[in-house]
Amino acid sequence: MSILSNRPQKSGIRRFGLLIIALLLLAFSLAGCGAKQEAAADKGKPAAKEPVTLLNVSYDPTRELYKEFNDAFAKQWKEKTGQTVTIKQSHGGSGKQARSVIEGLEADVVTLALSDDIDELHKAGLIPADWQKRLANNSTPYTSTIVFLVRKGNPKNIKDWDDLIRPDVSVITPNPKTSGGARWNHLAAWGYALKQNNNDEGKAKEFLAKIYKNVPVLDTGARGSTTTFVERGIGDVLLAWENEALLATIELGKDKFDIVAPSVSILAEPPVSVVDKGVDKKGTREVANAYLQYLYSDQGQEIAAKNFYRPRNETIAKKYANQFPKLSLFTIDELLGGWGQAGKKHFGDGGIFDQIYTPKK
Amino acid sequence: MLSKSFAIKKHSILPGFGLTMGFTLLYLGILVLLPLATIFIKTAGIGWAQLWSIATEPRLVASYKLSFGASLIAAGINAVFGLLVAWVLVRYTFPGKRIIDGLVDLPFALPTAVAGITLTTLYAQNGWLGKYFELLGIKIAFSPIGVVVALTFIGLPFVVRMVQPVLQTLDNEVEEAAACLGANRFQTFTKVIFPELLPSLLTGFALAFARALGEYGSVVFISGNMPMRTEITPLLIMIKLEQYDYAGASTVAAVMLIVSFVLLFLINLLQWWSSNRRTLN
């Protein structure tokens, strides 16, 4: 403030002006309070057979999937119960979304990238500890994996993880500290290196360090990295969610990019959960539960497959088998005993990612 | 000082000082002081030793260097070229002057993310400008230079808008007098005009600098976010939040707050000194 006080003149007129501004601000802020109260009064409506609104808080790449799924669910729910349901979507980085919910965003369901992020909701007292057991397949109705997106014709002849450490290859991946997708990338490479080196963690770390040495840019999110690779033409290979890679090849033209499936990769399991505290407050538990269960129905699984997520349902998976390259997948539980440990060990302060980037003392 | 402020209260012809003063304090308290206090309260939960070890992590120190260094450089560039722009806008008339005058404010209005994406597109290896720099072997996007470019972009209006009104109120007569007394144009500028502009220029510099320090949206796109090299401090705060490490994030925030407060205080002193010296002369 004091920087601004050295202005040339201070006249009475100016002071009067300030008074007016102050009064206006006061008036506005009071008006603002009034509006808020009205909005709050609106929310107390009973949810019984009246139209109901759900909020699905999700992460970035599921935008297209849930757009289609929401319409299908709303239609089905209307036929079954006569109730109109509107589903709102919120997208962003997975961790950021979890934090918004913890800090008071009134979500009915969360569909995030990592179970670690949903565990944080449990720590904040919003959902019970056993949330992941409430739905089939660890509450993961669809899965994905990490594949390579390369330029058309694969000019650098990239076939597997080993090619990523070649000095002439430039790799694009987001920053695992800010992006859930990047954590899957990181762990997929880690798992491959462990398998190659008889579970020698020191060697796996060296392998990862070599990959990161070839990374010229670490964007903050998966979509940012896709832009860097696709639009700016930087890098020879993009580590990406399979669904993002398939979307990129289809949306941006098949003549520009190829998908390369490495020999081994990680089974990425993005989980879903009802937010108990939110639905109990709004009285929407029944419809929220039905919403998530519908993800497991034939139609839900079809929509997931159409949006390039691997369905859990065997029959539907078979139907879309051509779409998904066959590769050997390991789960995070096999590899590291679950997210709780993996998160801390790799991405916490002083974890493996930090060690790779901090100069050795 | 005290008696003077009392005098204002007693004899001011305008009513309502008590009310507006109370409002001002409340308003600033809720909007500025309370949030800032929360940062320190959150930080206070951890001991000194741990606080120090968080604040001096090598990765953070590297980001301080980049954030403060790039902000200083950007504010410096803005001080020089902002003065030039203000000078042209005040002293010359040319067609389209109003439009150019309006363009100056654009960095204010533009969402910073848009600025960041646009600048990155321009300066990336295959961008319109970036490919020519690439030929010269200079990498702009995804390097510290890119950070400076983004910070310069968002800081420009501050200097121009601070200097412009002062230039406008400068009397022509003073310059004429200087000329009559035998000063050449260069002397007139350095001895007569520039000292007059210096306080506002410093203010513009300080504002541009402060703005650059806090900038996040436009920088994350162009910097490339490489640990130890092109990570800005606000990004590390975001990273800590992403790990649900609220104490760590507020520690870094508190460090930034203290350092920028000290720097702004110094700039204020400098400004006070320069305007004081002028009146003494």
Side-chain angles (χ1 to χ4, degrees):
Chain A
M1 271 295 113
S2 57
I3 314 173
L4 295 170
S5 65
N6 265 338
R7 294 264 175 78
Q9 317 102 331
K10 285 180 186 166
S11 63
I13 293 182
R14 224 180 90 140
R15 242 177 252 149
F16 184 68
L18 284 177
L19 174 71
I20 299 286
I21 291 171
L23 287 176
L24 279 177
L25 285 172
L26 186 67
F28 274 127
S29 54
L30 289 178
C33 291
K36 222 172 218 170
Q37 271 160 8
E38 274 167 38
D42 263 355
K43 267 181 205 147
K45 282 180 185 167
K49 282 293 163 194
E50 296 201 15
V52 62
T53 307
L54 289 184
L55 176 63
N56 177 2
V57 173
S58 194
Y59 62 109
D60 269 329
T62 58
R63 203 174 311 250
E64 293 78 12
L65 163 67
Y66 279 108
K67 202 164 166 258
E68 201 178 337
F69 178 74
N70 290 346
D71 291 343
F73 174 74
K75 202 172 149 223
Q76 181 258 1
W77 188 252
K78 177 97 184 170
E79 278 165 14
K80 208 169 128 192
T81 66
Q83 188 181 29
T84 310
V85 53
T86 321
I87 300 128
K88 289 186 184 156
Q89 292 167 253
S90 159
H91 295 272
S94 186
K96 206 177 292 160
Q97 294 291 78
R99 229 167 35 247
S100 310
V101 175
I102 290 170
E103 276 155 19
L105 180 66
E106 288 191 337
D108 300 276
V109 295
V110 285
T111 51
L112 296 176
L114 314 170
S115 60
D116 222 15
D117 288 325
I118 301 187
D119 277 337
E120 290 294 326
L121 297 187
H122 158 63
K123 282 183 206 157
L126 296 176
I127 53 174
D130 65 341
W131 66 269
Q132 205 156 9
K133 302 224 165 65
R134 295 192 292 189
L135 287 166
N137 304 106
N138 274 333
S139 289
T140 316
Y142 43 79
T143 64
S144 191
T145 185
I146 301 302
V147 295
F148 304 163
L149 191 67
V150 296
R151 307 209 178 271
K152 186 76 197 170
N154 197 358
K156 290 271 170 102
N157 195 24
I158 292 159
K159 294 268 183 261
D160 208 345
W161 293 100
D162 283 325
D163 294 311
L164 302 188
I165 63 172
R166 269 162 37 195
D168 64 321
V169 170
S170 162
V171 183
I172 304 295
T173 173
N175 191 330
K177 292 268 197 172
T178 52
S179 157
R183 295 187 186 188
W184 288 113
N185 294 350
H186 176 113
L187 292 176
W190 177 260
Y192 171 82
L194 281 185
K195 279 177 197 282
Q196 291 293 306
N197 296 301
N198 290 324
N199 293 325
D200 183 335
E201 292 206 346
K203 283 199 176 138
K205 203 169 116 190
E206 269 171 41
F207 184 81
L208 272 175
K210 279 184 195 156
I211 291 184
Y212 279 116
K213 213 175 189 176
N214 288 340
V215 177
V217 189
L218 288 165
D219 285 285
T220 51
R223 282 273 154 105
S225 275
T226 310
T227 312
T228 300
F229 183 75
V230 170
E231 311 261 320
R232 310 211 200 299
I234 294 171
D236 302 308
V237 50
L238 171 75
L239 302 187
W241 290 95
E242 182 180 56
N243 56 303
E244 282 280 273
L246 283 165
L247 194 69
T249 49
I250 285 166
E251 296 266 303
L252 304 158
K254 284 205 162 161
D255 47 341
K256 277 184 171 163
F257 304 101
D258 284 336
I259 290 175
V260 172
S263 60
V264 206
S265 191
I266 196 161
L267 182 73
E269 300 177 290
V272 301
S273 176
V274 164
V275 182
D276 297 66
K277 222 168 180 179
V279 292
D280 286 344
K281 196 172 156 200
K282 289 161 76 180
T284 48
R285 182 180 279 278
E286 190 194 352
V287 55
N289 272 333
Y291 177 74
L292 291 186
Q293 268 149 18
Y294 195 60
L295 282 170
Y296 291 90
S297 72
D298 285 357
Q299 201 188 355
Q301 293 281 298
E302 285 252 20
I303 292 172
K306 267 192 229 154
N307 286 282
F308 316 117
Y309 280 94
R310 293 181 177 227
R312 288 284 198 185
N313 184 312
E314 298 281 337
T315 344
I316 291 164
K318 243 177 220 153
K319 193 171 151 196
Y320 286 87
N322 291 340
Q323 182 172 303
F324 303 109
K326 281 199 183 64
L327 42 93
S328 124
L329 297 172
F330 54 84
T331 68
I332 187 158
D333 293 340
E334 288 164 27
L335 178 70
L336 292 141
W339 265 109
Q341 286 182 26
K344 212 173 213 160
K345 182 170 171 186
H346 285 263
F347 313 115
D349 275 335
I352 286 173
F353 180 76
D354 278 353
Q355 290 164 28
I356 285 170
Y357 272 102
T358 323
K360 285 176 194 91
K361 280 173 194 164
Chain B
M1 196 64 204
L2 230 145
S3 62
K4 203 179 156 198
S5 64
F6 266 117
I8 293 171
K9 197 179 171 187
K10 268 186 184 166
H11 302 296
S12 170
I13 42 162
L14 288 171
F17 176 74
L19 185 71
T20 47
M21 186 65 185
F23 174 78
T24 306
L25 289 180
L26 181 74
Y27 195 74
L28 285 180
I30 292 175
L31 266 180
V32 181
L33 293 179
L34 199 65
L36 294 188
T38 335
I39 292 178
F40 286 104
I41 291 168
K42 284 223 168 182
T43 317
I46 40 182
W48 280 111
Q50 208 196 342
L51 200 109
W52 186 248
S53 76
I54 293 176
T56 55
E57 260 172 51
R59 231 173 121 202
L60 268 173
V61 173
S63 83
Y64 298 146
K65 281 184 195 151
L66 178 70
S67 265
F68 287 101
S71 299
L72 270 176
I73 294 170
I77 294 172
N78 276 326
V80 175
F81 292 97
L83 177 65
L84 198 71
V85 172
W87 183 267
V88 169
L89 286 177
V90 171
R91 287 298 166 102
Y92 302 97
T93 22
F94 50 89
K97 179 174 158 178
R98 289 242 172 139
I99 296 174
I100 293 189
D101 195 39
L103 278 181
V104 170
D105 283 332
L106 217 56
F108 265 155
L110 201 67
T112 51
V114 176
I117 292 172
T118 315
L119 288 172
T120 314
T121 314
L122 273 181
Y123 287 104
Q125 289 161 19
N126 62 348
W128 287 355
L129 295 172
K131 62 183 168 197
Y132 299 111
F133 283 103
E134 188 75 15
L135 290 179
L136 299 171
I138 303 170
K139 207 175 152 204
I140 294 189
F142 317 123
S143 79
I145 306 176
V147 178
V148 174
V149 170
L151 295 181
T152 309
F153 175 83
I154 52 115
L156 173 75
F158 291 95
V159 175
V160 178
R161 292 300 180 231
M162 285 319 282
V163 173
Q164 218 175 1
V166 182
L167 258 177
Q168 254 153 1
T169 53
L170 269 189
D171 256 334
N172 274 347
E173 285 162 26
V174 185
E175 279 169 68
E176 280 163 16
C180 288
L181 290 169
N184 60 29
R185 287 188 169 192
F186 181 70
Q187 283 171 323
T188 316
F189 181 77
T190 52
K191 302 237 158 117
V192 179
I193 300 172
F194 189 71
E196 206 56 43
L197 291 179
L198 192 61
S200 61
L201 195 61
L202 281 174
T203 307
F205 176 85
L207 288 176
F209 173 68
R211 178 78 177 78
L213 265 187
E215 182 58 24
Y216 174 77
S218 61
V219 187
V220 287
F221 292 101
I222 202 168
S223 71
N225 307 321
M226 300 304 290
M228 304 300 294
R229 285 202 293 120
T230 59
E231 271 182 334
I232 51 165
T233 315
L235 176 73
L236 283 168
I237 297 178
M238 283 302 293
I239 285 177
K240 295 227 180 268
L241 285 178
E242 211 70 35
Q243 296 164 356
Y244 307 97
D245 178 8
Y246 292 90
S250 49
T251 306
V252 183
V255 169
M256 274 203 102
L257 204 63
I258 293 168
V259 178
S260 45
F261 184 78
V262 168
L263 280 170
L264 289 179
F265 182 73
L266 286 178
I267 293 169
N268 250 325
L269 269 187
L270 199 67
Q271 195 189 2
W272 172 81
W273 167 79
S274 79
S275 61
N276 242 21
R277 199 185 51 149
R278 199 157 40 92
T279 43
L280 282 178
N281 284 350

